[in-house]
PDB file of all heavy atoms in Angstrom:
ATOM      1  N   MET A 283       5.073  31.222 -25.989  1.00  0.00           N
ATOM      2  CA  MET A 283       4.563  31.332 -27.355  1.00  0.00           C
ATOM      3  C   MET A 283       3.688  32.574 -27.503  1.00  0.00           C
ATOM      4  O   MET A 283       3.786  33.287 -28.498  1.00  0.00           O
ATOM      5  CB  MET A 283       3.762  30.084 -27.739  1.00  0.00           C
ATOM      6  CG  MET A 283       4.609  28.853 -27.948  1.00  0.00           C
ATOM      7  SD  MET A 283       5.833  29.053 -29.252  1.00  0.00           S
ATOM      8  CE  MET A 283       4.779  29.228 -30.672  1.00  0.00           C
ATOM      9  N   LYS A 284       2.848  32.849 -26.501  1.00  0.00           N
ATOM     10  CA  LYS A 284       2.006  34.051 -26.557  1.00  0.00           C
ATOM     11  C   LYS A 284       2.876  35.299 -26.609  1.00  0.00           C
ATOM     12  O   LYS A 284       2.609  36.227 -27.376  1.00  0.00           O
ATOM     13  CB  LYS A 284       1.068  34.109 -25.350  1.00  0.00           C
ATOM     14  CG  LYS A 284      -0.095  33.143 -25.443  1.00  0.00           C
ATOM     15  CD  LYS A 284      -0.992  33.261 -24.216  1.00  0.00           C
ATOM     16  CE  LYS A 284      -2.140  32.274 -24.292  1.00  0.00           C
ATOM     17  NZ  LYS A 284      -2.970  32.298 -23.098  1.00  0.00           N
ATOM     18  N   LYS A 285       3.920  35.320 -25.782  1.00  0.00           N
ATOM     19  CA  LYS A 285       4.827  36.470 -25.759  1.00  0.00           C
ATOM     20  C   LYS A 285       5.512  36.627 -27.109  1.00  0.00           C
ATOM     21  O   LYS A 285       5.617  37.745 -27.648  1.00  0.00           O
ATOM     22  CB  LYS A 285       5.860  36.283 -24.639  1.00  0.00           C
ATOM     23  CG  LYS A 285       6.880  37.388 -24.538  1.00  0.00           C
ATOM     24  CD  LYS A 285       6.312  38.606 -23.835  1.00  0.00           C
ATOM     25  CE  LYS A 285       7.374  39.616 -23.542  1.00  0.00           C
ATOM     26  NZ  LYS A 285       7.434  40.708 -24.481  1.00  0.00           N
ATOM     27  N   LEU A 286       5.974  35.515 -27.679  1.00  0.00           N
ATOM     28  CA  LEU A 286       6.621  35.577 -28.989  1.00  0.00           C
ATOM     29  C   LEU A 286       5.664  36.098 -30.054  1.00  0.00           C
ATOM     30  O   LEU A 286       6.043  36.925 -30.888  1.00  0.00           O
ATOM     31  CB  LEU A 286       7.126  34.189 -29.399  1.00  0.00           C
ATOM     32  CG  LEU A 286       8.434  33.732 -28.778  1.00  0.00           C
ATOM     33  CD1 LEU A 286       8.704  32.266 -29.130  1.00  0.00           C
ATOM     34  CD2 LEU A 286       9.583  34.590 -29.263  1.00  0.00           C
ATOM     35  N   LEU A 287       4.431  35.635 -30.028  1.00  0.00           N
ATOM     36  CA  LEU A 287       3.441  36.090 -31.009  1.00  0.00           C
ATOM     37  C   LEU A 287       3.159  37.582 -30.855  1.00  0.00           C
ATOM     38  O   LEU A 287       3.027  38.299 -31.854  1.00  0.00           O
ATOM     39  CB  LEU A 287       2.147  35.286 -30.885  1.00  0.00           C
ATOM     40  CG  LEU A 287       2.208  33.854 -31.406  1.00  0.00           C
ATOM     41  CD1 LEU A 287       0.924  33.096 -31.043  1.00  0.00           C
ATOM     42  CD2 LEU A 287       2.437  33.821 -32.905  1.00  0.00           C
ATOM     43  N   GLU A 288       3.080  38.039 -29.618  1.00  0.00           N
ATOM     44  CA  GLU A 288       2.882  39.477 -29.379  1.00  0.00           C
ATOM     45  C   GLU A 288       4.066  40.272 -29.925  1.00  0.00           C
ATOM     46  O   GLU A 288       3.892  41.299 -30.582  1.00  0.00           O
ATOM     47  CB  GLU A 288       2.716  39.758 -27.884  1.00  0.00           C
ATOM     48  CG  GLU A 288       1.396  39.305 -27.307  1.00  0.00           C
ATOM     49  CD  GLU A 288       1.330  39.458 -25.793  1.00  0.00           C
ATOM     50  OE1 GLU A 288       2.236  40.100 -25.199  1.00  0.00           O
ATOM     51  OE2 GLU A 288       0.371  38.936 -25.198  1.00  0.00           O
ATOM     52  N   ASP A 289       5.279  39.779 -29.652  1.00  0.00           N
ATOM     53  CA  ASP A 289       6.484  40.460 -30.127  1.00  0.00           C
ATOM     54  C   ASP A 289       6.521  40.497 -31.653  1.00  0.00           C
ATOM     55  O   ASP A 289       6.854  41.524 -32.249  1.00  0.00           O
ATOM     56  CB  ASP A 289       7.747  39.772 -29.591  1.00  0.00           C
ATOM     57  CG  ASP A 289       7.938  39.968 -28.093  1.00  0.00           C
ATOM     58  OD1 ASP A 289       7.211  40.809 -27.499  1.00  0.00           O
ATOM     59  OD2 ASP A 289       8.791  39.279 -27.510  1.00  0.00           O
ATOM     60  N   VAL A 290       6.177  39.383 -32.279  1.00  0.00           N
ATOM     61  CA  VAL A 290       6.159  39.326 -33.741  1.00  0.00           C
ATOM     62  C   VAL A 290       5.126  40.317 -34.292  1.00  0.00           C
ATOM     63  O   VAL A 290       5.391  41.029 -35.263  1.00  0.00           O
ATOM     64  CB  VAL A 290       5.881  37.891 -34.246  1.00  0.00           C
ATOM     65  CG1 VAL A 290       5.547  37.877 -35.726  1.00  0.00           C
ATOM     66  CG2 VAL A 290       7.082  36.995 -33.972  1.00  0.00           C
ATOM     67  N   GLY A 291       3.972  40.381 -33.658  1.00  0.00           N
ATOM     68  CA  GLY A 291       2.941  41.326 -34.079  1.00  0.00           C
ATOM     69  C   GLY A 291       3.430  42.763 -33.999  1.00  0.00           C
ATOM     70  O   GLY A 291       3.201  43.558 -34.920  1.00  0.00           O
ATOM     71  N   GLN A 292       4.124  43.095 -32.918  1.00  0.00           N
ATOM     72  CA  GLN A 292       4.664  44.450 -32.763  1.00  0.00           C
ATOM     73  C   GLN A 292       5.724  44.729 -33.822  1.00  0.00           C
ATOM     74  O   GLN A 292       5.760  45.819 -34.400  1.00  0.00           O
ATOM     75  CB  GLN A 292       5.257  44.632 -31.365  1.00  0.00           C
ATOM     76  CG  GLN A 292       4.197  44.711 -30.279  1.00  0.00           C
ATOM     77  CD  GLN A 292       4.799  44.800 -28.888  1.00  0.00           C
ATOM     78  OE1 GLN A 292       5.999  44.642 -28.694  1.00  0.00           O
ATOM     79  NE2 GLN A 292       3.954  45.044 -27.900  1.00  0.00           N
ATOM     80  N   LYS A 293       6.572  43.753 -34.085  1.00  0.00           N
ATOM     81  CA  LYS A 293       7.619  43.928 -35.100  1.00  0.00           C
ATOM     82  C   LYS A 293       6.996  44.103 -36.483  1.00  0.00           C
ATOM     83  O   LYS A 293       7.483  44.900 -37.290  1.00  0.00           O
ATOM     84  CB  LYS A 293       8.586  42.734 -35.119  1.00  0.00           C
ATOM     85  CG  LYS A 293       9.356  42.536 -33.840  1.00  0.00           C
ATOM     86  CD  LYS A 293      10.339  43.647 -33.589  1.00  0.00           C
ATOM     87  CE  LYS A 293      11.134  43.377 -32.332  1.00  0.00           C
ATOM     88  NZ  LYS A 293      11.856  44.535 -31.866  1.00  0.00           N
TER      89      LYS A 293
END
Side-chain angles (χ1 to χ4, degrees):
M283 289 300 295
K284 285 180 181 176
K285 178 79 171 99
L286 280 172
L287 287 172
E288 288 174 10
D289 290 349
V290 167
Q292 288 176 351
K293 297 292 183 194

